[in-house]
Amino acid sequence: MSGKKHITMTVNGEAQEFLAEPRELLIHTLRERLNITGPHIGCETSHCGACTVTLDGKSVKSCTVFVAQADGADITTIEGLGNPDSLHVLQEAFKEHHGLQCGFCTPGMITRASKLLEENPSPTEEEVRFGMAGNICRCTGYQNIVKSILAAATEMNAAKEAAE
Amino acid sequence: MIPAAFEYHRPKDLEGVLSVLVEHGDDARVLAGGHSLIPMMKLRMADVEHLIDLQDVAGMSGIAVDGGSVRIGAMTTQNDIITSDALAGAAPIMHEAALQIADPQVRYMGTVGGNVANGDPGNDMPGLMQCLDATFTLVGPDGERTVAAREFYEAAYMTDRDDAEVLTAVSFAAQAGGYAYEKQKRKIGDYATAAAAVLLTKEGGVCTSASIAMTNLSDTPIWSEAAGAALAGTSVDDAAISAAVGAMLGDIDPTEDNRGPIEFKRHAASVVLGRAIARAWSRA
Ligand SMILES: Cc1cc2nc3c(=O)[nH]c(=O)nc-3n(C[C@H](O)[C@H](O)[C@H](O)COP(=O)(O)OP(=O)(O)OC[C@H]3O[C@@H](n4cnc5c(N)ncnc54)[C@H](O)[C@@H]3O)c2cc1C
Ligand code: FES
Ligand code: FES
């Protein structure tokens, strides 16, 4: 039983196609098969959010999704949001407001925050804290993470207004 | 943490699901959001040889509010519940409870059907379904049947659902009156140390009916008929609330675990129920 399955998915805008055992966890597909190592493995038990990616418009913990479930899915990781030459507004804000220390949680934080701001472009501080509750950070005490996300929201709204 | 190998099925309709269930019996399990089942499979505490993913099965999700009745498809996620305006009007207690389940990422995946079918005493929706007097629709090889939520739970992870049945929807009457879902937990994303669901109605300063259910305080959710009866006919003053809490304490049977000793859980249960009644009454 349980042979390999033919899987197709789009990751950060690029079509991918491969054979995998259905039980492979999406985080391992991304990191080990596709060399997309932005999403991290913190707890591997669905608690820390370091492995967060956007899957068909939902923030999900990729350590708790089988690759077979993601067959046909459209996935965005931190690599799809920005790069060293052109940082995403959230990446810029985390840098500016000291939203990270060791940086281990940061890809999950920013990927989750990008979805949060898409759904709620002008969140209150409380809404940011509630919306980020699935992501754990051992270093920062969260204060500067919240500050960074609020600053990014202001920045993104100003840019939107300027464009109109 | 890699689970044991399994064969993966992704049928497009219920017939496809049932045919795998019938062929493989208890070697087969359905997968909804996976956020209870996958952690168990990773720990190798659940052994599943045939996994049937429900994500492509047509007609299993969605919220329908039709006059006085509400029907929620099993594959509707907690996040769908939180963002549904129709449900916010017809059963705001669903919204208040869903916001207290797990964390945002889990709520995008976790489904109502998975939450109620799982049978974990820690799940929040089963208690809520007792409080709402909901009905579950099950479809199996012999057709469709309905079962009252209050009759569904037998013991931890043991329910009235047959191995070859799929839970397709939960239904209940739209609610008027006061409501509250109050949950004590150690941190966001944790299961309840104690949780209380309260629905009540009020006329001329008197409580005309009340339904009270408790979560994670026994090996099944507890609908405390006596606690509801203690409120009916009163003005929900302190004496009535104490009587309801006392009645509830007679119905629960918590065990000691890493959320605390029995006495602490009984204390937490009293506090959450007192708060839930007060909040529901203030909204009635
Ligand atoms: C970090 C974390 C925190 C959590 N905190 C909470 C919490 O506070 N409160 C809470 O209530 N839950 C909590 N959960 C559990 C979460 O809500 C689950 O998603 C839910 O319990 C199960 O729903 P699911 O759709 O993920 O089901 P699955 O995991 O896919 O399935 C669970 C079980 O139900 C069966 N099943 C699923 N759907 C059906 C169906 N339609 N018919 C028949 N059988 C079915 C499956 O075969 C399996 O045995 C938490 C989970 C995590 C990972
Ligand atoms: S690694 Fe996935 S939640 Fe921690
Ligand atoms: S910056 Fe170190 S874990 Fe968050």
Side-chain angles (χ1 to χ4, degrees), chain A residues 23 44 61 63 68-69 135, chain B residues 1 3 10 42 103 105:
Chain A
R23 64 170 164 167
E44 243 200 316
K61 295 172 178 174
C63 71
Q69 290 174 278
N135 294 73
Chain B
M1 290 210 303
R10 203 201 270 195
K42 284 166 71 178
D103 61 42
Q105 284 93 323

Side-chain angles (χ1 to χ4, degrees), chain A residues 1-2 5 22-23 25 44-45 52 58-61 63-64 66 68-69 71 112 119 130-131 133-135, chain B residues 1-8 10 31 35 38-39 42 49 51 53 55 99 103-105 107-109 188:
Chain A
M1 69 176 233
S2 65
K5 190 176 153 34
R23 64 170 164 167
L25 295 164
E44 243 200 316
T45 55
T52 300
K58 302 172 291 211
S59 295
V60 304
K61 295 172 178 174
C63 71
T64 315
F66 290 128
Q69 290 174 278
D71 185 20
R112 169 60 197 145
E119 291 180 352
F130 192 76
N135 294 73
Chain B
M1 290 210 303
I2 314 287
F6 54 81
E7 187 141 344
Y8 177 80
R10 203 201 270 195
L31 177 77
H35 274 53
I38 294 174
K42 284 166 71 178
E49 285 177 27
L51 192 65
D53 190 342
Q55 69 170 302
L99 283 168
D103 61 42
Q105 284 93 323
R107 292 193 293 262
Y108 281 108
M109 294 300 284
I188 280 199

